[in-house]
Amino acid sequence: MKGFNKVILAGNVGRDPQIQTFDGRKKASFSLATTTKYRDKDGSLKEITDWHNIVVWGNLAEIVEGYVRKGTPL
């Protein structure tokens, strides 16, 4: 492996996770909203919301299945 990129996202879950099982291995997918707040040149507060599609497998998928719901902060 030549390089490694790391991203840390903090936001709120946009929809309940979708759980699928493939040959006994679980997959969980859900959307995560992250919001950036800033002031424009006029001093007005602005917000930008970005949506991220998250997919996790195995043990993490089982944890997501048990604890994560729409609106959960992650």
Side-chain angles (χ1 to χ4, degrees):
M1 177 166 37
K2 290 189 177 204
F4 184 83
N5 291 323
K6 181 178 180 178
V7 176
I8 298 174
L9 298 173
N12 293 314
V13 176
R15 61 178 163 83
D16 286 342
Q18 295 176 333
I19 308 298
Q20 296 175 298
T21 303
F22 300 96
D23 296 326
R25 189 167 180 222
K26 288 195 176 185
K27 170 189 165 190
S29 57
F30 57 94
S31 60
L32 185 73
T34 57
T35 303
T36 303
K37 296 179 183 180
Y38 69 96
R39 292 200 181 272
D40 65 9
K41 64 181 181 178
D42 299 325
S44 299
L45 186 61
K46 301 286 184 179
E47 288 187 6
I48 297 175
T49 300
D50 291 309
W51 290 91
H52 310 273
N53 294 318
I54 310 296
V55 177
V56 296
W57 290 85
N59 291 338
L60 281 178
E62 291 181 16
I63 291 169
V64 166
E65 182 179 31
Y67 296 102
V68 176
R69 299 288 174 262
K70 180 179 179 178
T72 301
L74 291 180

